[in-house]
Amino acid sequence: MSFDNSGNVLVFHRANNIWDSSTFDIQNVYQHQSKGPIAGNTIIAFNRVSGAVADEWGAGMFYMPHGITVDRESNVWVTDVALHQVMKFSEKNRTHPELVLGTKFRPGHSEVTFCKPTAVAVLDNGDFFVADGYCNARILKYSRSGEFVLSWGKNAFGGTGYAHAPPNFFAVPHALALASDRNLLCVADRENGRVQCFNTEDGKFHSQFHSQVIGDRLFSVGYSPANGGQLFVVNGPDLHNGPPTHRVLGFVIDMGTHKVTSKFGQFENPHDVIVSPDGTEVMH
Ligand code: ZN
């Protein structure tokens, strides 16, 4: 989910494709290639006030949509976990990507291949970051032309929780938020239940954010510079059986004090959150 530059809310959806135990083999190769891509439009722009569909596209290209973001030049960036690819679409051409990174249907862990990449974040100068992803647990930085710059992150595998996971270890880097005014890239470290923020220049660890009220699963993060800097996050349902120990909600974290200052929403299994720059509108 993302805002575009007209203030619409962009959703990248999977139609009827469900991610279950038959979707990938043990090598992370997508098993339903022969069914072809999702036939209908997968990218829908909704007017954020009326909810009316303002635009829709992206038919016949994607298999298992995951992340979507819009940069300041109105390019739309998406990740598809079945394709193991990242694509950039210019505003003029919504049928052929201007840039494709990764090898179609082939998981990898090199500078130019991914394994179930989850998200993209684009700096004002066009350089961008890829969260990669479900299997590799790392962040990669590229120049605006797609040249590899640097990568960081180690795999914490199942997730050890924020109390134990050291900085730089990820258990599914699941979403990205840029805090451009602070030169920080903040990563939803999903199964460690925390947000880790890194310097956008060199990828060095800067700070992390977590809370007992959020718990050990944190699915997405958004940023607003308002009120001294705030992170908007959503947590996830407990994985264990038995009575839930955490309510599934949105939370606002003050970046100065690291404290949860408010809560919003009430979800079953949220996947994403976005926030308007002034911090007054949150979509999930
Ligand atoms: Zn996901």
Side-chain angles (χ1 to χ4, degrees), residues 2 50 65 69 83 117 119 126 132 146 155 167 178-179 195 237 245 252 259 284:
S2 175
S50 70
T69 194
L83 291 169
D132 176 40
N155 206 331
L178 277 168
V195 175
T245 50
V252 182
K259 295 258 187 313
H284 54 79

Side-chain angles (χ1 to χ4, degrees), residues 134 157 162 166 209 214 220 247 280:
Y134 279 90
F157 296 101
Y162 57 79
F209 302 85
I214 297 171
S220 190
R247 288 176 67 202
T280 59

Side-chain angles (χ1 to χ4, degrees), residues 191-211:
E191 303 300 324
N192 282 327
R194 63 179 173 177
V195 175
Q196 295 190 68
C197 298
F198 302 87
N199 190 299
T200 53
E201 194 60 39
D202 56 12
K204 288 251 158 34
F205 175 84
H206 177 273
S207 48
Q208 65 173 333
F209 302 85
H210 51 72
S211 165

Side-chain angles (χ1 to χ4, degrees), residues 24-158:
F24 292 91
D25 70 9
I26 194 83
Q27 264 84 42
N28 298 305
V29 175
Y30 183 63
Q31 296 297 292
H32 305 308
Q33 297 175 30
S34 61
K35 289 186 188 166
I38 296 167
N41 288 321
T42 52
I43 297 171
I44 318 285
F46 295 96
N47 181 295
R48 76 208 264 185
V49 180
S50 70
V53 173
D55 192 14
E56 54 181 317
W57 53 283
M61 284 189 275
F62 303 111
Y63 292 75
M64 196 57 69
H66 198 277
I68 186 166
T69 194
V70 181
D71 67 23
R72 68 196 311 235
E73 297 164 37
S74 293
N75 300 301
V76 175
W77 300 73
V78 296
T79 72
D80 185 306
V81 294
L83 291 169
H84 304 290
Q85 286 179 314
V86 171
M87 294 183 199
K88 169 193 179 183
F89 292 87
S90 74
E91 201 171 14
K92 289 191 236 69
N93 191 336
R94 301 303 205 198
T95 52
H96 292 89
E98 189 177 292
L99 185 70
V100 180
L101 290 177
T103 307
K104 190 175 183 177
F105 292 128
R106 302 216 14 210
H109 51 86
S110 71
E111 295 175 357
V112 291
T113 55
F114 311 114
C115 185
K116 299 177 186 162
T118 51
V120 178
V122 187
L123 291 168
D124 285 350
N125 69 2
D127 293 356
F128 60 96
F129 301 93
V130 175
D132 176 40
Y134 279 90
C135 4
N136 288 333
R138 60 181 180 163
I139 307 297
L140 301 98
K141 183 180 181 182
Y142 295 88
S143 71
R144 67 175 288 134
S145 60
E147 298 290 318
F148 173 81
V149 177
L150 61 96
S151 72
W152 70 91
K154 292 195 168 82
N155 206 331
F157 296 101

Side-chain angles (χ1 to χ4, degrees), residues 14 19 66 118 134 174 190 219 271:
R14 294 175 191 164
W19 188 347
H66 198 277
T118 51
Y134 279 90
H174 194 252
R190 195 178 92 177
F219 274 61
H271 193 253

